[in-house]
Amino acid sequence: KKVDDGAILVVAKNDRHLRIEVGYGLEGALTDVTSRRIIDEIITPKFRTGDFGGGISDGVDRMIKVIDGDSLELNGRRIRLYGIDAPELTQWCEDDRRQPYRCGLEAKRGLQDLVADQRLTCSIIKIDQYGRELAICKARSGFDIGGTQVLNGHAVAYGRYTNQYRDEQAKAKEARRGIWRGPFEIPE
């Protein structure tokens, strides 16, 4: 409750005005700079050609491309990265000075940075009990998105399904990267 983690795309077609309104809970994930880039680089070019539906659709897709630190939107499908679990978007952790920080938001930003301008290939491994597609996703250059999230300390290896990312987790923990900088509640 009271997370205020919504976003609205406002289009005043006749006034030739666009803006993205972001709730407080998403300000760090969907920044003013990111919103401006979505408008300038994705929506406006489509609008200029008269493709208003395509501009809105592509703009909204970019707004929600990364949902949190272990899930993303790909071709209209919600994909959960197989074998990892990241802090919830609203979760707080403590750093090495025991200062609180928004680790869930940091995990989301880490995933956004990984997939920005990347062409992804995802292989569906299974469907979980919530109906989500669990997949191993790789960037065109070949790196594993989930493994990199774990290695960067933005997620933990989720042993319920696989032990695939245990080595990456050990390296992140030893180097005190991301959530391993201080105490945190292990995601489940």
Side-chain angles (χ1 to χ4, degrees):
K1 291 184 178 181
K2 298 186 181 184
V3 175
D4 196 15
D5 61 353
I8 300 171
L9 171 61
V10 179
V11 179
K13 181 180 168 190
N14 293 338
D15 294 333
R16 301 175 59 94
H17 184 74
L18 295 168
R19 75 176 188 268
I20 296 173
E21 294 290 329
V22 179
Y24 173 75
L26 282 182
E27 283 180 345
L30 190 56
T31 64
D32 290 342
V33 171
T34 302
S35 295
R36 175 64 20 215
R37 286 188 66 197
I38 291 170
I39 289 170
D40 291 347
E41 298 172 14
I42 296 168
I43 300 172
T44 301
K46 293 258 183 175
F47 279 21
R48 285 191 179 126
T49 66
D51 185 5
F52 295 99
I56 291 169
S57 178
D58 290 354
V60 170
D61 282 349
R62 182 56 64 101
M63 288 168 64
I64 62 173
K65 185 172 184 180
V66 174
I67 298 164
D68 56 25
D70 56 21
S71 303
L72 48 91
E73 189 86 15
L74 186 64
N75 299 324
R77 297 174 18 229
R78 186 173 180 162
I79 305 289
R80 170 135 181 178
L81 296 172
Y82 178 76
I84 75 167
D85 201 7
E88 297 302 319
L89 185 59
T90 57
Q91 186 173 331
W92 289 76
C93 297
E94 292 181 7
D95 64 17
D96 54 346
R97 294 171 291 145
R98 301 199 55 93
Q99 296 297 308
Y101 73 98
R102 296 182 67 184
C103 56
L105 186 57
E106 186 174 279
K108 176 179 176 144
R109 287 182 187 149
L111 185 56
Q112 284 175 319
D113 290 345
L114 282 178
V115 302
D117 302 320
Q118 292 286 338
R119 184 174 213 106
L120 301 181
T121 302
C122 295
S123 300
I124 305 301
I125 305 301
K126 66 184 286 186
I127 306 295
D128 72 6
Q129 69 266 27
Y130 305 108
R132 297 176 298 195
E133 294 177 292
L134 302 178
I136 294 175
C137 297
K138 295 189 176 186
R140 182 178 220 171
S141 60
F143 71 86
D144 182 312
I145 302 295
T148 305
Q149 273 292 87
V150 174
L151 185 63
N152 290 339
H154 296 308
V156 296
Y158 190 52
R160 181 176 291 178
Y161 298 121
T162 181
N163 290 324
Q164 184 164 348
Y165 301 117
R166 291 288 181 202
D167 290 343
E168 288 87 344
Q169 180 171 299
K171 290 175 185 175
K173 188 174 183 178
E174 183 180 333
R176 301 186 54 80
R177 288 188 203 113
I179 55 179
W180 298 104
R181 291 180 294 194
F184 68 95
E185 184 177 323
I186 295 200
E188 283 190 34

